[in-house]
Amino acid sequence: IFATIGDRATGPGGQEAQDPMRGEGKVIHLTRDGDPATTLPGALPGVYSLGHRNAQGATLDLEGRLWIVEHGARGGDELNAPLE
């Protein structure tokens, strides 16, 4: 199970998405039982990828790779394959 958590550009400088010990701006990866499936070194349990300010959608391709679409400021929308 993958979940995307936006940061809403809150807090001092809007940098929560870059902080591995905060939940905002992350892709979380869990097993079907709710246990962390993946954890980046030095990050909260389950953090698969960080730095995603405003994820709008996520999907797995036919090879099982995760892709996310992020709404960017001033038309800077992005399509990303985290950890690729």
Side-chain angles (χ1 to χ4, degrees), residues 34-61:
D35 296 321
T38 306
T39 300
L40 289 177
L44 291 173
V47 171
Y48 178 80
S49 181
L50 56 83
H52 307 286
R53 299 215 30 217
N54 195 1
Q56 298 290 308
T59 191
L60 297 173
D61 66 17

Side-chain angles (χ1 to χ4, degrees), residues 15-75:
Q15 297 298 310
E16 286 81 359
Q18 304 300 330
D19 185 343
M21 294 308 293
R22 295 189 58 117
E24 300 96 322
K26 308 297 182 286
V27 174
I28 307 298
H29 188 199
L30 304 173
T31 67
R32 291 177 185 261
D33 295 328
D35 296 321
T38 306
T39 300
L40 289 177
L44 291 173
V47 171
Y48 178 80
S49 181
L50 56 83
H52 307 286
R53 299 215 30 217
N54 195 1
Q56 298 290 308
T59 191
L60 297 173
D61 66 17
L62 295 176
E63 295 178 16
R65 293 177 298 208
L66 177 69
W67 291 86
I68 62 172
V69 176
E70 298 178 50
H71 174 73
R74 297 181 213 103

